[in-house]
Amino acid sequence: MSKVIGIDLGTTNCCVSVLENGTVQIISNKEGGRTTPSVVGFTDKDERLVGQIAKRQAVTNSANTLYAVKRLIGRKFSSPEVEKMRSTVPFEIVEAPNGDAHIRVLERVYSPPEISAILLQRLKQAAEEFLGDRITEAIVTVPAYFDDMQRQATRDAAKIAGLEVERTGAGSNEAPSSPTMAAMATSTFLTTSFAVTRSLAKSTGSAVSKIAKLREATSSWTWSSERPWVLMS
């Protein structure tokens, strides 16, 4: 049975983690970094650049370098958020036939899930190289404010990348939100999925501030020694 990886698909940076031999491991990328910039670049030589290398060439190739695509995922072209983003980014955001916000790069139109899938594929590849095994399942976190369309678009991105979203609750395959991830990090969890998510919450994104607030607020709480995920009254 292949392992389940945890992925924080952030607006600015991404991170991938796994529970290996009882220890949570943050998996480094090819450049040796524990986080990967959420940047995808396209060149006129039909190359796809991902992460730090894409970020480095953004100044000279701004129109074909995509970032903060997470802000477009699952949104309509006419939405205020997309309208605001259109006025600030150098790449072209266009309207799809169904009204969604898509991106035109080098005469080709991409959906936000397709761009996010490129990032997820790179993280999946790093995990497979680290583990020496094929990865097919993952937990991909999303912001708490994501609606059903945005969560579904995130699952679509994972599917394009060759990943199935692992179930995170009874009868549910919803991606966990950052606050949920932060709450998980206040205690020790026994399942692989929870342990992986806990490691991501500690290392990346806005969840860091949420954890700090939770730990301050829960410093006097007592946790069950037999069931460490249960708060004692």
Side-chain angles (χ1 to χ4, degrees), residues 9-20:
L9 184 63
T11 304
T12 306
N13 293 290
C14 301
C15 181
V16 59
S17 180
V18 70
L19 186 68
E20 179 77 347

Side-chain angles (χ1 to χ4, degrees), residues 40-60:
V40 176
F42 297 83
T43 72
D44 54 11
K45 297 180 181 178
D46 201 28
E47 295 175 311
R48 289 183 180 180
L49 309 177
V50 180
Q52 195 63 48
I53 189 172
K55 187 176 180 179
R56 283 198 294 264
Q57 54 88 65
V59 175
T60 58

Side-chain angles (χ1 to χ4, degrees), residues 56-231:
R56 283 198 294 264
Q57 54 88 65
V59 175
T60 58
N61 187 29
S62 59
N64 303 316
T65 302
L66 314 181
Y67 59 89
V69 173
K70 182 177 177 179
R71 292 174 181 160
L72 299 175
I73 200 163
R75 293 193 186 277
K76 295 297 182 181
F77 180 80
S78 58
S79 70
E81 294 84 2
V82 173
E83 183 177 351
K84 180 180 179 181
M85 192 167 174
R86 286 172 58 202
S87 66
T88 59
V89 297
F91 50 86
E92 185 180 7
I93 301 173
V94 299
E95 186 173 10
N98 66 352
D100 287 351
H102 283 192
I103 305 164
R104 179 180 285 125
V105 183
L106 296 175
E107 303 304 318
R108 179 177 171 182
V109 176
Y110 295 87
S111 68
E114 286 178 304
I115 300 301
S116 295
I118 295 173
L119 290 166
L120 291 171
Q121 285 170 341
R122 179 57 57 91
L123 298 174
K124 176 177 180 285
Q125 181 183 4
E128 289 177 335
E129 291 176 356
F130 176 81
L131 296 169
D133 195 9
R134 182 168 175 262
I135 300 297
T136 59
E137 295 177 301
I139 299 168
V140 182
T141 63
V142 297
Y145 62 80
F146 263 26
D147 60 24
D148 289 343
M149 288 182 62
Q150 290 169 303
R151 289 171 186 267
Q152 181 58 54
T154 301
R155 288 195 293 271
D156 292 342
K159 188 172 183 178
I160 294 170
L163 293 167
E164 290 295 328
V165 176
E166 176 68 6
R167 289 174 181 245
T168 58
S172 170
N173 63 350
E174 288 290 342
S177 68
S178 293
T180 300
M181 191 168 60
M184 288 179 176
T186 63
S187 183
T188 301
F189 289 81
L190 301 184
T191 69
T192 300
S193 298
F194 284 167
V196 169
T197 306
R198 179 172 179 263
S199 74
L200 291 174
K202 284 185 173 180
S203 64
T204 61
S206 61
V208 173
S209 62
K210 295 183 179 74
I211 290 166
K213 291 177 182 178
L214 278 166
R215 284 185 171 168
E216 181 180 355
T218 62
S219 58
S220 62
W221 290 3
T222 302
W223 299 88
S224 168
S225 59
E226 294 181 358
R227 295 180 296 167
W229 63 94
V230 177
L231 175 65

